[in-house]
Amino acid sequence: MNGSAELDRYLFDLQGFLVIENVLSSAEVDALNALVDAHVEALPEDWGAVAAENRLGLYNVYRFGMAGGSYPDGPGFLDWGQPFRDLMDHPAVMAVLREQLGQSFRLDRIFGMRMSKGMPNARLHSDYGASQPYADSHPGERYRQPDYQALHGFSVAAFNLTASGPETGGLRVIPGSHHSHYRLPERIRNDEYLDVVVCPKAPAGSVTLFSEATTHGTARWTADHERRTLLYKYCHSNLTWSRTRVTAPEGVDLSPRQQKLLEPPGGAGWFFPNVFSEDSS
């Protein structure tokens, strides 16, 4: 989608996700793909057997360049070259995050995803709201979220380095699910009822933004080409998903805004700066 700011705001709020095309040029996509090739090994042909031997299963097969979240402190793929660092504060992403997360937010965790033909679905889930794993919600009952729980304070920017969509697989979402007051039914979670699930069309060079309260997952990859997506996960300044963080690469100059995005958690205004202040332009 490449509509007006008014239309994009409406669609993002309505659906819980937004695809913006032509965010990266073909030259930028090529440069990022070349750096991925230089830093990761080819996906194993026996990925099923390799996944069975890993604690996180298939996640440990197709993820790369991880930092923060479920992985240790570090720069992750930010250490692989300037093109990865340039995406941290891409103007198209910052404009949407400013609407959702306000003036003070941080980069919470990062990783890349690759998939080869035949890799299966990853289960639908949401990290916040009625369907998050530790919500005290019950099947079929309206959930009244407590004030102390986060809901829309986390957002993802997924940059596509290869095309994905309904014909190929990749990211799948349930539009509007970030507003749901009901726990995700097991029939949907178990892929028995998929009428409400969509695989957004996202060409190479596009970015898909979505709230982590939006129910999302991965659809089986059916394309001959490899899926490649870079995920940058942001949150409001006083939130954090885990104890680990994305840190700055050593010996690299970051812009003032990029430095602020890597600050530790803190209350907005009190301990965490406005990332859009004049000195961070």
Side-chain angles (χ1 to χ4, degrees), residues 24-35 160-162 204-206:
L24 303 178
S25 68
S26 58
E28 289 173 314
V29 170
D30 290 345
L32 287 159
N33 274 317
L35 287 167
N160 263 34
L161 303 187
T162 58
S206 66

Side-chain angles (χ1 to χ4, degrees), residues 126-141:
S126 58
D127 298 287
Y128 304 94
S131 294
Q132 70 101 341
Y134 302 105
D136 186 22
S137 57
H138 304 283
E141 294 183 10

